Amino acid sequence: MNRIEDILTACADVNLSIRKPAEEKLRMYETQSGFSNALLVIVGNEQLETHVRLLAIICLKNVVRRQWRKRSVVQNNKQNNVDNNIITNEEKTYVKNQLFGCLSYPSKVITVQVCAVIALIARIDWPLGEWPDLFQKLLYFAGSGQQLISQQQHVISNQDHNKLSNCNKAIVSLNKVLKEFLSIRVPSAKRNYENVIYELLPVLMSDFSRNLQLLVHFIQNTMSSSAPPANTNDVVILLSELSKNSLKCIYHILATEFETIVVEQQ
């Protein structure tokens, strides 16, 4: 049992004699370079059972928590940060780029964990300047597809529904990132974050307004139609979630940084 897929499957076994050795083997793999990449390959393999893919992304979340940060070592009586020799910079870059693509997976239980992994990595890397395009990418994925949906539509195709669903997942990721950043205490990182949210807030408010308008117009157009589309309920729920999650992002900024924003404007 050396294939990672088989080990993940064994980790879900109710038999302790099977599960425990598998869990120990996973912990051993955590200390090997390339393990994060291998887990992402499993997460993206739609031929595998959902529970195996789910275990893979949860395992990746644990790897980020335990192995992602640079290690601190003592050399010549001085404490220095050194490059993590388990997860290379190249592997980190690959993981960060691939995670955004994972948001398009149809399984919600998997994408919820993907959002959590993005937020965890963001909390570690962004304050260090190692993920400078984080917010640009989140806003791009959160906005892509919304502009393509006409407010006059009362029929949302499956393709449009998928685009809006992917937008919603990106907004959920952004919300989790903003929550993680509430704990930033390093002064330089705090100042950089304040500069970002000063630019971020107008964009989020515009997105919220657009999402809410989409919802209102869709409901109005559907109610005035003699033949409402079959997926009306699903679309209303999705558009409601888009509006709600956009507003939650705004809340996290205003509830914690409103005073800073006001001072900046003055």
Side-chain angles (χ1 to χ4, degrees):
M1 185 178 64
N2 291 317
R3 289 201 322 156
I4 298 176
E5 302 97 299
D6 297 333
I7 297 172
L8 290 168
T9 301
C11 284
D13 200 296
V14 295
N15 189 330
L16 184 62
S17 63
I18 296 176
R19 187 175 71 249
K20 192 167 181 60
E23 291 173 346
E24 291 174 352
K25 191 164 276 190
L26 272 185
R27 290 298 297 267
M28 180 189 69
Y29 277 137
E30 278 187 19
T31 61
Q32 296 184 14
S33 180
F35 185 51
S36 299
N37 291 3
L39 289 172
L40 273 179
V41 171
I42 294 172
V43 174
N45 187 350
E46 298 188 42
Q47 302 301 316
L48 296 173
E49 295 288 339
T50 298
H51 76 274
V52 175
R53 298 170 63 207
L54 177 60
L55 285 171
I57 190 64
I58 292 174
C59 187
L60 177 59
K61 185 167 66 173
N62 292 331
V63 170
V64 170
R65 283 185 176 136
R66 291 193 280 258
Q67 308 291 349
W68 196 272
R69 293 181 186 274
K70 290 182 178 179
R71 293 176 175 178
S72 184
V73 298
V74 176
Q75 295 176 334
N76 299 326
N77 296 323
K78 293 183 179 180
Q79 186 169 325
N80 299 310
N81 288 326
V82 298
D83 288 339
N84 191 317
N85 60 354
I86 295 175
I87 306 178
T88 64
N89 290 332
E90 292 76 13
E91 186 174 359
K92 289 181 177 181
T93 300
Y94 174 82
V95 169
K96 287 184 284 193
N97 288 335
Q98 292 299 310
L99 282 171
F100 286 104
C102 295
L103 292 174
S104 63
Y105 297 155
S107 173
K108 188 172 182 178
V109 293
I110 290 176
T111 55
V112 164
Q113 296 298 326
V114 171
C115 292
V117 174
I118 290 175
L120 284 174
I121 296 176
R123 179 63 184 85
I124 299 170
D125 278 8
W126 188 87
L128 299 175
E130 295 178 359
W131 204 351
D133 61 345
L134 166 68
F135 287 103
Q136 291 93 325
K137 283 191 173 182
L138 284 171
L139 289 176
Y140 171 77
F141 283 95
S144 62
Q146 294 180 51
Q147 299 92 333
L148 304 178
I149 311 299
S150 169
Q151 292 182 0
Q152 305 307 315
Q153 286 180 244
H154 71 275
V155 175
I156 302 292
S157 67
N158 289 335
Q159 184 179 9
D160 289 339
H161 189 280
N162 290 337
K163 290 177 181 177
L164 290 173
S165 179
N166 291 339
C167 292
N168 187 48
K169 294 167 187 174
I171 293 173
V172 170
S173 291
L174 177 57
N175 182 50
K176 289 183 178 295
V177 168
L178 293 173
K179 288 178 68 176
E180 284 285 338
F181 280 22
L182 293 178
S183 61
I184 289 180
R185 293 292 180 267
V186 178
S188 59
K190 185 72 173 175
R191 284 194 298 272
N192 290 337
Y193 177 56
E194 290 168 355
N195 292 333
V196 166
I197 62 172
Y198 181 63
E199 299 176 357
L200 196 62
L201 186 59
V203 179
L204 290 173
M205 295 185 76
S206 176
D207 284 349
F208 168 68
S209 177
R210 181 171 60 246
N211 294 333
L212 190 59
Q213 288 176 12
L214 279 172
L215 173 62
V216 171
H217 282 284
F218 179 81
I219 292 174
Q220 289 175 339
N221 292 335
T222 300
M223 292 180 66
S224 63
S225 172
S226 58
N231 66 343
T232 294
N233 191 57
D234 291 339
V235 173
V236 168
I237 291 174
L238 176 56
L239 292 176
S240 298
E241 287 185 354
L242 266 169
S243 301
K244 178 194 70 175
N245 291 325
S246 297
L247 186 59
K248 285 173 70 175
C249 290
I250 295 171
Y251 167 79
H252 281 304
I253 291 177
L254 293 181
T256 59
E257 305 293 343
F258 180 72
E259 184 177 350
T260 301
I261 295 170
V262 172
V263 171
E264 287 289 337
Q265 286 183 325
Q266 293 175 345

